[in-house]
Amino acid sequence: MKSFIYALFTVALFTAAVCSAAEESDFTGDIGVGVMFIDSANNLNPGSSKKIISNLDNGADRELTTVPIILPALAYYPDKNKPFHYTLTSRPPIEESGAFALSVGAATVFDQIADIKVALFAAPFGEVWKNPYLTNAPRDETDSRKYGTYLALDNILATRFRGSLIYYHTDVDDDLIGEITPELERDGNVVTANLGYAFDILPTFSLIPALSYSLGDHEGEAYSYSSYGVKLGGRYFSGKIALFPEISYKYTEYDAIHPIFQETRDENKVSFNVLLQYAAPFDMENFVFSAIAGYSLGDSGIDFYDTESIRFGLSLVYRF
């Protein structure tokens, strides 16, 4: 609830800023509302697992949650004749960022070098279990905050190469399991590097393969990891329709033997997502209708960490 209230407050500020700048052409952006349905299973996530579990031998059963979507975005161009601009609100580039998150930054173009964007981001309203491994008693929730920075490069050296470097810190408010078992302490830092290339197959269709590497350095050695990923994305445009499919695979290996399960944790995760956008629905200019669907399956060597997620969402966005 608090994340939803914060989201409404942010949108109110965003709308006030837009209204105050209505006569200024230097502001661009959009604002949208919608709903997301998430049917997921994850023993580490309070929204995707039961409060009481009887054993640690199995993955969680899927739990259905409904999440309101609020999508504010705003950019400011100090000089319309130059490509430099500020991104005052946008989504941060991390997975599982929490119920609501924003980033602020700046972007510009250096000819023959790259299109560059730098930003700071925060996801202050995530939640985790204080002790995910507690059985036959109610597990309590605690806040998990993420904040960091990233650098994104596009059209590197006038080619279709693109890349990004992301750093963020995780701070678990009341990390009870970390106090009981220091090898499982969850505070720490993550660095992720991505590199991709856009192939224009047709004038209306592009394929974007990408590679990624992540290093998680947490206070608990059994929570520190290395992760390797590969992704294939697509972009298709035809009239009012835009389609963005994506399939990915990621392998994660943790650094130390898990003190509870007495083996080293690893995970194979496959995900598929598709975003459909339809411009000017019912001839409503400056509006875009969006639908998103996705599925992911995580298979861990330790059954407790097996995950599954089915996602579907709808939103309507006004662009100005």
Side-chain angles (χ1 to χ4, degrees):
M1 176 60 71
K2 64 180 180 182
S3 60
F4 182 54
I5 294 174
Y6 178 80
L8 290 177
F9 177 70
T10 302
V11 170
L13 292 179
F14 170 80
T15 305
V18 171
C19 294
S20 66
E23 298 179 358
E24 298 292 336
S25 60
D26 295 338
F27 284 90
T28 64
D30 56 59
I31 183 170
V33 294
V35 63
M36 177 74 76
F37 303 97
I38 305 173
D39 191 16
S40 59
N42 185 338
N43 269 320
L44 303 182
N45 186 343
S48 303
S49 59
K50 297 185 182 301
K51 194 175 184 67
I52 300 176
I53 56 176
S54 59
N55 60 70
L56 305 179
D57 299 330
N58 304 299
D61 296 326
R62 290 207 310 261
E63 302 285 329
L64 179 63
T65 57
T66 303
V67 181
I69 299 174
I70 300 177
L71 303 169
L74 182 64
Y76 171 67
Y77 291 78
D79 187 341
K80 280 291 186 179
N81 297 319
K82 297 180 180 180
F84 178 83
H85 66 279
Y86 296 100
T87 55
L88 302 182
T89 64
S90 62
R91 289 288 299 173
I94 57 174
E95 297 179 359
E96 301 175 355
S97 58
F100 192 74
L102 289 174
S103 68
V104 294
T108 191
V109 175
F110 290 98
D111 291 336
Q112 304 301 312
I113 298 178
D115 302 348
I116 299 177
K117 180 178 180 179
V118 294
L120 302 173
F121 62 86
F125 297 115
E127 291 184 334
V128 295
W129 296 117
K130 292 182 180 181
N131 180 359
Y133 312 102
L134 181 65
T135 59
N136 299 312
R139 297 185 292 180
D140 295 323
E141 303 170 9
T142 188
D143 293 334
S144 176
R145 296 176 288 273
K146 293 181 174 66
Y147 48 88
T149 183
Y150 72 98
L151 167 69
L153 306 176
D154 204 355
N155 300 319
I156 299 173
L157 299 177
T159 70
R160 302 305 303 277
F161 276 106
R162 56 180 56 187
S164 65
L165 187 63
I166 304 163
Y167 163 84
Y168 67 87
H169 176 77
T170 298
D171 179 21
V172 177
D173 190 28
D174 188 0
D175 191 8
L176 180 59
I177 187 60
E179 297 175 5
I180 298 172
T181 310
E183 296 97 325
L184 296 177
E185 190 172 349
R186 290 169 285 183
D187 289 356
N189 307 306
V190 175
V191 177
T192 299
N194 299 282
L195 181 64
Y197 190 89
F199 292 93
D200 293 329
I201 308 301
L202 296 170
T204 58
F205 179 64
S206 299
L207 282 177
I208 310 169
L211 300 174
S212 66
Y213 172 73
S214 295
L215 181 65
D217 181 18
H218 293 82
E219 296 294 332
E221 189 175 359
Y223 253 94
S224 299
Y225 63 85
S226 295
S227 178
Y228 309 85
V230 59
K231 181 185 299 184
L232 180 62
R235 297 182 301 188
Y236 173 75
F237 299 92
S238 178
K240 294 183 176 182
I241 295 176
L243 189 66
F244 304 91
E246 178 184 276
I247 187 169
S248 64
Y249 166 78
K250 182 167 65 173
Y251 173 73
T252 303
E253 184 176 23
Y254 288 77
D255 292 353
I257 294 175
H258 199 290
I260 294 176
F261 298 100
Q262 294 303 308
E263 60 180 293
T264 302
R265 177 183 170 191
D266 63 5
E267 182 183 71
N268 295 279
K269 184 176 182 180
V270 177
S271 298
F272 174 77
N273 295 286
V274 60
L275 170 65
L276 172 67
Q277 293 183 334
Y278 185 79
F282 305 106
D283 295 323
M284 296 187 299
E285 295 296 329
N286 300 325
F287 281 90
V288 176
F289 170 78
S290 296
I292 186 170
Y295 176 79
S296 64
L297 181 66
D299 181 22
S300 174
I302 300 173
D303 292 343
F304 179 82
Y305 291 108
D306 288 347
T307 61
E308 186 178 16
S309 176
I310 301 171
R311 305 169 295 278
F312 179 74
L314 301 171
S315 66
L316 186 63
V317 177
Y318 173 74
R319 292 178 171 169
F320 54 89

